[in-house]
Amino acid sequence: MDINKCGLGANVPTFYTPSDIESIRASVFNDGIAFVEGCEEETLVGLAHQLGQVVRPRNEATPGSGVSRIRIASDLVGKGYSSEELFFHTDRSGWDEPPRILMSTLRSQSESGGESLLVDSQSVLNALKQHDEGLYDLFTSSKHTSFRADDGTFVPRAMVDKDTGIFRFRFDDGIQMSASMVVAFAKLQDIIYQHAYFVALQPGQGYVLDNHRYLHGRASFTGSRELLRVLVRPSTPSSEKIILFDIDGTLCRSEALSIDAYYSCVSDIVGKDINHANTTVNLHGRTDLGLLHDILDYHQVSMKDQVVERFLKLHPQYLERSLSKGLPSVICPGAQEMLSWLVRQNENSSQPKFQLGLITGNSRPNALLKLRGAGIDTSIFDLDISSFGDSHHNRLSLFQDSLSKLQTRFGSHIGAKDVLVVGDTPLDVECAKQAGCSVVAVATGNYKMEELASLEPNFCCSRLTDTKEYLLQAAF
């Protein structure tokens, strides 16, 4: 492989130490790759076990370690065990679900060549969607590619599985292509190279990548070179419980604050008095974006796109102004005790029992302002699995967004059934059930317990502290 073809050129990455596990995990699941240094075999294995279950390779260097030594070896099959170039590929591409995480560290450096070539498949797919829909259709159809399984048979599989998000690719004797794909392959290869970069690793340096997303390859080299590799199935929250909290009426109440900031901001932008009294629009359970569109339609405001853009930019400032005027954000009864209990449950366990996130109609800045205004520590929530109302018109799409983020983080096997939503409105209950999630309804907002119970949530209570036993026993 010619490193000069890499459209993004040489990359000098930021390296993490193996002890910085949270940064590594976040970088892999958010960006697709994390670079590590100071990583010998024992350290690599230790890091692998922190990330999940190690997949035992065919050619294991040390029994039980999970480590493969990728080096020149005439007795082993495959280009990886030669000094030849390795084209961009997915490891174990013929498996039903290839291991999600690939880890490697350079043990010894070649005399020349041997650079690691990398490409984010999301960039490739975006380019295909924009510039060549026909090739994208080939890419996402199992009619045009088959991958060799461990038993030697070729199984029809799309390079990109739209259902699971798995991207699998190779260009060797492990793939069969249709005539249409063969004709289009040269163009596909050019697009891959356009979005690729290379890294010249030093001994002890390596990377941890999302094998469902990132493709990796290697330039040919002279001399001897040895790379240590481990494949991992990431830890999933199968023994944990994913809980997504609504904010308004569930964790805190800030009606006067919200109304003052919202309508003041809209009025100033459009240049006319728009207030709660002259606007017949239901506020409860709505997203900031959806509510804004309804208010603008109600008052027949033109040029909505420009108004929306300015509103999303300015609204947090108005919320801070309303807070400074003394309009409060007050924590809901039982919320602080409940959140503290959840944190203690995680701290007292070798593995966290609960993954905590937010699912709210508020924009992200406003959500955090309201929570902090109520004295709630926002660091306990994983914002990368949370969904906010500044990019969604309706509440159901919030659920779909969070589920997509959870699958990106933990794997395609995560489903709505693994998620519990905690909310205080009928819309919270209805959307959670429609999405397939479990739901706890808490009567600390504007709706009585009887009203919420009539919608048949999985659990209904008057305050959040009543949910402790349910959370420990429920199989969501």
Side-chain angles (χ1 to χ4, degrees):
M1 293 174 69
D2 186 354
I3 61 174
N4 295 316
K5 290 183 179 179
C6 292
L8 302 183
N11 182 21
V12 182
T14 299
F15 288 90
Y16 297 107
T17 61
S19 61
D20 194 357
I21 181 66
E22 291 306 320
S23 295
I24 293 171
R25 183 181 282 114
S27 186
V28 170
F29 290 117
N30 293 330
D31 304 324
I33 193 167
F35 291 90
V36 294
E37 63 182 357
C39 208
E40 303 300 330
E41 180 172 347
E42 184 177 349
T43 316
L44 186 71
V45 173
L47 178 58
H49 283 289
Q50 290 186 76
L51 290 172
Q53 179 183 0
V54 173
V55 177
R56 300 286 295 277
R58 292 186 291 266
N59 304 308
E60 197 169 36
T62 304
S65 68
V67 176
S68 295
R69 292 180 178 172
I70 312 301
R71 67 196 191 283
I72 297 176
S74 58
D75 58 325
L76 297 177
V77 178
K79 282 189 176 182
Y81 298 102
S82 73
S83 61
E84 297 179 41
E85 65 177 25
L86 282 175
F87 195 67
F88 297 103
H89 64 282
T90 303
D91 268 34
R92 301 294 182 266
S93 57
W95 289 14
D96 290 342
E97 185 173 341
R100 179 74 184 275
I101 295 176
L102 181 147
M103 308 173 60
S104 68
T105 184
L106 189 65
R107 190 175 191 185
S108 61
Q109 194 173 19
S110 56
E111 293 176 7
S112 64
E115 293 88 354
S116 296
L117 282 75
L118 299 157
V119 63
D120 186 348
S121 68
Q122 289 190 359
S123 299
V124 175
L125 291 176
N126 288 337
L128 288 175
K129 289 178 184 177
Q130 292 176 16
H131 304 299
D132 196 326
E133 291 187 6
L135 185 52
Y136 177 77
D137 290 340
L138 291 179
F139 224 54
T140 54
S141 171
S142 60
K143 296 179 180 179
H144 298 283
T145 47
S146 296
F147 290 83
R148 187 172 59 193
D150 282 351
D151 63 3
T153 61
F154 281 83
V155 181
R157 302 185 191 278
M159 288 189 181
V160 179
D161 189 321
K162 290 183 178 180
D163 293 328
T164 65
I166 294 175
F167 184 105
R168 65 181 84 224
F169 184 84
R170 62 188 319 109
F171 185 54
D172 55 17
D173 57 4
I175 186 173
Q176 292 179 343
M177 301 183 190
S178 69
S180 299
M181 182 64 81
V182 170
V183 170
F185 189 81
K187 186 172 184 179
L188 174 60
Q189 184 175 3
D190 288 343
I191 293 173
I192 289 174
Y193 265 118
Q194 287 171 18
H195 297 276
Y197 60 87
F198 67 90
V199 177
L201 297 173
Q202 302 299 311
Q205 294 180 340
Y207 50 77
V208 182
L209 61 77
D210 184 344
N211 191 46
H212 292 179
R213 171 177 169 179
Y214 246 79
L215 302 179
H216 64 288
R218 182 194 69 202
S220 60
F221 62 89
T222 61
S224 62
R225 177 184 187 270
E226 185 172 354
L227 189 81
L228 305 180
R229 184 197 65 192
V230 180
L231 298 172
V232 178
R233 296 196 184 280
S235 299
T236 70
S238 56
S239 60
E240 303 171 18
K241 299 180 179 182
I242 303 165
I243 307 176
L244 301 178
F245 286 92
D246 171 55
I247 292 179
D248 294 303
T250 301
L251 295 178
C252 62
R253 298 198 64 163
S254 56
E255 287 92 339
L257 167 69
S258 299
I259 290 171
D260 181 73
Y262 205 99
Y263 284 110
S264 296
C265 185
V266 175
S267 296
D268 287 351
I269 292 172
V270 303
K272 63 184 291 187
D273 182 27
I274 296 178
N275 57 63
H276 190 41
N278 67 14
T279 308
T280 310
V281 174
N282 179 28
L283 305 179
H284 302 301
R286 308 294 304 284
T287 70
D288 275 358
L289 189 59
L291 178 60
L292 180 58
H293 276 270
D294 285 356
I295 290 174
L296 297 178
D297 287 341
Y298 184 85
H299 288 278
Q300 299 180 328
V301 175
S302 60
M303 301 179 69
K304 285 199 301 182
D305 289 344
Q306 293 92 325
V307 174
V308 169
E309 183 178 355
R310 290 194 64 199
F311 177 86
L312 293 177
K313 181 178 180 180
L314 296 175
H315 188 207
Q317 300 173 26
Y318 280 78
L319 198 67
E320 289 182 328
R321 184 189 304 173
S322 297
L323 276 168
S324 67
K325 287 161 54 176
L327 296 174
S329 178
V330 180
I331 196 163
C332 288
Q336 187 62 68
E337 182 183 344
M338 186 63 197
L339 294 174
S340 298
W341 179 80
L342 288 168
V343 170
R344 288 196 303 274
Q345 290 292 311
N346 285 345
E347 290 175 344
N348 294 335
S349 176
S350 58
Q351 293 290 332
K353 292 182 179 179
F354 301 102
Q355 294 277 340
L356 307 181
L358 299 169
I359 186 162
T360 173
N362 291 282
S363 68
R364 177 169 172 154
N366 292 348
L368 300 181
L369 279 169
K370 287 183 179 181
L371 291 173
R372 290 167 184 156
I376 295 174
D377 179 7
T378 58
S379 68
I380 68 174
F381 300 106
D382 186 341
L383 301 185
D384 290 329
I385 62 171
S386 301
S387 292
F388 302 93
D390 44 3
S391 55
H392 297 279
H393 283 266
N394 62 72
R395 203 159 190 89
L396 183 58
S397 63
L398 292 174
F399 292 85
Q400 296 162 344
D401 181 48
S402 273
L403 183 58
S404 176
K405 291 175 178 177
L406 286 164
Q407 289 175 337
T408 298
R409 170 73 67 84
F410 297 113
S412 57
H413 63 283
I414 295 297
K417 67 183 187 323
D418 302 305
V419 179
L420 174 72
V421 174
V422 183
D424 70 295
T425 71
L427 195 57
D428 291 330
V429 177
E430 291 166 1
C431 287
K433 292 174 70 174
Q434 188 175 346
C437 302
S438 299
V439 58
V440 165
V442 57
T444 48
N446 291 312
Y447 295 89
K448 295 180 180 179
M449 191 167 169
E450 294 76 14
E451 295 177 88
L452 297 172
S454 69
L455 299 171
E456 299 183 348
N458 297 83
F459 188 79
C460 191
C461 57
S462 60
R463 53 192 292 141
L464 280 176
T465 44
D466 297 337
T467 64
K468 293 179 183 178
E469 186 174 347
Y470 170 78
L471 292 179
L472 291 175
Q473 295 179 357
F476 61 87

